Amino acid sequence: DQQVKQNSPSLSVQEGRISILNCDYTNSMFDYFLWYKKYPAEGPTFLISISSIKDKNEDGRFTVFLNKSAKHLSLHIVPSQPGDSAVYFCAASKRMNYGGSQGNLIFGKGTKLSVKP
Amino acid sequence: KAGVTQTPRYLIKTRGQQVTLSCSPISGHRSVSWYQQTPGQGLQFLFEYFSETQRNKGNFPGRFSGRQFSNSRSEMNVSTLELGDSALYLCASRKDRGHPGELFFGEGSRLTVL
């Protein structure tokens, strides 16, 4: 059972426009949601996150929105740049019994973003 | 500051063999997690170690095992390799009191099983 879903395998956007990447989840116990970016031949890198008690978090060109009632989150990139072309993974974490943050993230399958000049 | 280092970067094995992959976390990070990335399944959690103790384990068969040493370096082992074990194996470390869920990944070890 896939708990984190990214239904769009790919997205193509023109440079300067907005990129919107979507993610759905099924488990109400998730307490943090994160976005990671991955370039070919590199490991994923952390991009931005949001706590389940918030509905928006912004960091420069990147904004993540969380809609808990719909169990949906989205990543907005404005304006999109060619260097943003990468695979974006949505991930969620669940607080464990021992408390604190944990290294057990549940990832979606990723969305490949292509930003065309 | 050096990042997460994984060795070897690439390896080819045949069915039935075993393989050991190594991971050196960022200095000062005591938590190490392992993930398997395949085209069909994305990134799937294997296990997490903290101070030489396995803290959590994903839904993988017992052929997948790991350990962590006193210097926080970690190894994972896959025995009796199957074709479906072909994947990119990613190691990640994190700060003790870092941002929740913020992992620092290595470049991965790409395993091909023939």
Side-chain angles (χ1 to χ4, degrees):
Chain A
D1 178 34
Q2 200 179 349
Q3 298 185 64
V4 177
K5 297 179 185 179
Q6 294 176 258
N7 292 319
S8 298
S10 63
L11 174 68
S12 183
V13 171
Q14 205 67 32
E15 180 179 6
R17 307 295 289 269
I18 184 171
S19 295
I20 299 177
L21 296 97
N22 294 303
C23 179
D24 297 299
Y25 64 95
T26 58
N27 194 328
S28 301
M29 298 299 291
F30 291 143
D31 63 346
Y32 264 93
F33 301 91
L34 308 98
W35 287 92
Y36 279 79
K37 179 169 73 172
K38 186 180 186 301
Y39 293 116
E42 295 184 12
T45 55
F46 171 76
L47 188 58
I48 191 171
S49 67
I50 187 168
S51 165
S52 60
I53 63 173
K54 296 188 175 181
D55 54 20
K56 177 182 176 181
N57 187 27
E58 190 172 354
D59 184 2
R61 296 186 298 114
F62 302 91
T63 303
V64 57
F65 296 92
L66 176 62
N67 183 335
K68 280 190 295 185
S69 61
K71 292 190 174 67
H72 177 83
L73 65 154
S74 61
L75 173 68
H76 293 211
I77 306 174
V78 184
S80 301
Q81 300 173 353
D84 296 330
S85 297
V87 177
Y88 288 78
F89 290 97
C90 171
S93 73
K94 206 167 29 173
R95 186 162 296 277
M96 306 301 287
N97 292 336
Y98 51 80
S101 65
Q102 53 274 347
N104 173 15
L105 297 182
I106 299 170
F107 284 86
K109 295 186 179 182
T111 297
K112 184 176 182 180
L113 172 66
S114 299
V115 180
K116 301 189 183 305
Chain B
K1 197 173 189 179
V4 176
T5 305
Q6 291 188 244
T7 56
R9 290 292 312 280
Y10 303 91
L11 65 165
I12 300 173
K13 294 284 187 178
T14 57
R15 279 182 300 173
Q17 287 186 310
Q18 72 163 11
V19 66
T20 299
L21 308 177
S22 179
C23 171
S24 293
I26 291 173
S27 178
H29 291 191
R30 293 187 290 173
S31 170
V32 173
S33 302
W34 288 89
Y35 288 81
Q36 181 195 64
Q37 184 185 9
T38 58
Q41 297 298 322
L43 278 85
Q44 292 188 291
F45 172 75
L46 282 157
F47 22 67
E48 179 189 14
Y49 288 88
F50 181 82
S51 291
E52 302 179 68
T53 301
Q54 187 179 88
R55 179 172 277 187
N56 199 13
K57 190 176 190 302
N59 188 25
F60 277 82
R63 300 185 296 108
F64 292 81
S65 63
R67 59 178 175 168
Q68 187 180 32
F69 302 95
S70 58
N71 62 358
S72 295
R73 191 176 69 84
S74 177
E75 288 181 348
M76 68 162 282
N77 183 278
V78 187
S79 62
T80 319
L81 284 166
E82 301 177 359
L83 295 179
D85 297 333
S86 294
L88 180 67
Y89 290 89
L90 291 159
C91 170
S93 69
R94 63 182 176 87
K95 301 175 186 176
D96 285 4
R97 299 185 190 283
H99 191 287
E102 182 178 4
L103 304 179
F104 296 84
F105 283 89
E107 293 178 320
S109 294
R110 182 164 295 282
L111 170 66
T112 301
V113 181
L114 301 176

